[in-house]
Amino acid sequence: MRRLLDAAARQDAVVTTLDLDRAGARRGQVRTLVRCGTWVPLLRGTFLVMPDRTGNRLLRSWARAATLTVPDAVAGFGTAVALHGLDVPAEPVPVQVLVPPPLRRRGRDHLEVHHDLLTPGDVVDLRGLPTTTVARTLVDEVPRRPRGDALALLDAALASGQVTQDDLARARALTAGRRGCRAVEDLWLLADGRAESPSRAEPASTASTAVSRRTTCTCRCAATPGASSPVPTWSSGGDGG
């Protein structure tokens, strides 16, 4: 059992069936641990040995389970957004991962597998978890989101200091041809790390209003001679949405 706990300590409190075999653990003992709630099954062939984990720690456990069981998997899309601290998902699942072609991996319960090319510069090591960089994550995720959510994500990325406006310009170019890219094309220029964007928990109407206000204000600023910036600075009084 000591060997299993050592493995779990290195793997965000996750052990796999391979770890069990290496440690010589009896399957009957594992079933007992699961039955009494001491261990919790995650993805097929993986177990969480610390069932009291919550928040980002639980998210990391699910992401770790995915990268341990899916060869060459990299955490991406919404999972990467949360791992980078740009959003707080309501639930840690489904875990979303990217697998490079020509490998074809099928998704399963609580796991969503995407297939796309990744360059070395697209992947970062987040304390042992291979994860798409913030810039690559935006390329994948922004076109998939409703406009309000997409703008909130872009704002959060800028506010985090992990990307710059130049990074957003390059990311925007890489979205060309992706489904949904045209619906959010203008948002890359509207992103403002100083803005108070609506959270994903707020109603869609609130997010839509925020985008409309930003668009309207930006157009006004651009049309005003001598305007110092085409992007307004939102106050905390609520006008910024």
Side-chain angles (χ1 to χ4, degrees):
M1 187 60 69
R2 182 73 260 169
R3 292 182 62 183
L4 286 175
L5 294 179
D6 288 343
R10 297 189 300 270
Q11 299 171 172
D12 292 291
V14 175
V15 295
T16 67
T17 51
L18 181 59
D19 294 324
L20 298 176
D21 292 339
R22 286 172 174 169
R26 298 189 302 273
R27 295 305 169 91
Q29 183 181 17
V30 173
R31 286 193 293 270
T32 299
L33 290 169
V34 171
R35 189 164 53 247
C36 68
T38 303
W39 286 11
V40 176
L42 297 181
L43 300 177
R44 183 184 305 167
T46 64
F47 301 90
L48 178 66
V49 304
M50 297 176 62
D52 58 342
R53 287 170 76 92
T54 59
N56 185 261
R57 295 172 70 210
L58 179 58
L59 173 72
R60 283 188 59 89
S61 293
W62 277 100
R64 177 73 70 174
T67 59
L68 286 172
T69 57
V70 181
D72 299 310
V74 174
F77 291 86
T79 297
V81 168
L83 288 172
H84 284 296
L86 304 180
D87 196 3
V88 180
E91 298 290 341
V93 292
V95 183
Q96 295 173 293
V97 298
L98 269 164
V99 176
L103 298 175
R104 302 298 298 180
R105 307 294 181 189
R106 299 180 62 181
R108 63 187 81 151
D109 288 347
H110 306 309
L111 177 65
E112 188 177 305
V113 179
H114 300 264
H115 300 86
D116 201 358
L117 289 172
L118 289 171
T119 69
D122 289 333
V123 181
V124 65
D125 185 307
L126 292 185
R127 291 186 291 127
L129 271 179
T131 307
T132 53
T133 62
V134 171
R136 173 56 197 252
T137 300
L138 296 177
V139 171
D140 293 327
E141 186 69 7
V142 168
R144 292 163 49 93
R145 296 195 173 200
R147 284 174 57 81
D149 290 348
L151 183 58
L153 175 55
L154 290 168
D155 288 347
L158 281 177
S160 74
Q162 299 179 77
V163 292
T164 65
Q165 291 284 2
D166 287 342
D167 293 327
L168 294 193
R170 287 189 287 269
R172 177 193 183 194
L174 292 174
T175 65
R178 289 174 177 256
R179 179 179 297 179
C181 67
R182 291 190 177 183
V184 297
E185 188 172 14
D186 60 318
L187 302 184
W188 297 89
L189 299 178
L190 295 178
D192 181 4
R194 302 162 296 177
E196 295 181 5
S197 300
S199 69
R200 297 190 71 185
E202 294 186 73
S205 58
T206 302
S208 178
T209 300
V211 175
S212 298
R213 287 177 177 174
R214 189 87 60 89
T215 305
T216 301
C217 190
T218 300
C219 291
R220 269 205 312 270
C221 291
T224 302
S228 59
S229 172
V231 180
T233 301
W234 301 114
S235 69
S236 59
D239 290 338

